[in-house]
Amino acid sequence: MTHQSEIHNQPVHPAPVGKRMLLGAGIGLLLISFFLIGATKAPEWPTYWWIRPLLVVPAAGALGGLFFYNMDHLRSQGGWRTGLANVLSLLVFIVVLWLGTVLGLAGTLWD
């Protein structure tokens, strides 16, 4: 029988995945709220056109938070890998949030 180190039994993630996803969704909700507050409804848009962006953009932010969570294994290795994981997480979060904003606003504010 071999002796296992207790380090391998420690969880890598300092925060649960739900917390990271909620944080990403909150950032997405703040972003899309900024755009929707000043928007006026055009006559050719449906009555509840604003519901799609309020659902799609926070969902995209939650996916960005999930990616950030999944990069924790790389971040925990230290050194240059921590910087790489942080930069990669930020770039992926920005791209996913931008794509979610485009999909949410397509046909209304994004024409």
Side-chain angles (χ1 to χ4, degrees):
M1 196 184 237
T2 61
H3 178 64
Q4 289 184 341
S5 174
E6 289 187 25
I7 294 174
H8 296 292
N9 295 333
Q10 301 279 335
V12 174
H13 306 290
V17 66
K19 190 174 185 180
R20 298 278 173 92
M21 291 179 75
L22 279 175
L23 183 63
I27 292 171
L29 184 63
L30 285 174
L31 174 75
I32 199 62
S33 296
F34 174 73
F35 284 112
L36 294 180
I37 285 174
T40 58
K41 181 185 176 298
E44 64 272 5
W45 295 349
T47 306
Y48 297 108
W49 65 272
W50 48 270
I51 292 176
R52 185 173 76 183
L54 281 178
L55 294 175
V56 172
V57 177
L63 288 175
L66 179 65
F67 185 81
F68 185 83
Y69 175 82
N70 286 329
M71 287 286 102
D72 275 348
H73 71 281
L74 189 62
R75 196 175 289 112
S76 68
Q77 293 177 2
W80 62 271
R81 290 182 180 104
T82 300
L84 175 68
N86 287 333
V87 169
L88 188 62
S89 294
L90 182 65
L91 288 175
V92 167
F93 184 76
I94 289 171
V95 168
V96 167
L97 206 57
W98 175 71
L99 288 173
T101 304
V102 170
L103 287 174
L105 296 175
T108 56
L109 292 177
W110 203 278
D111 270 341

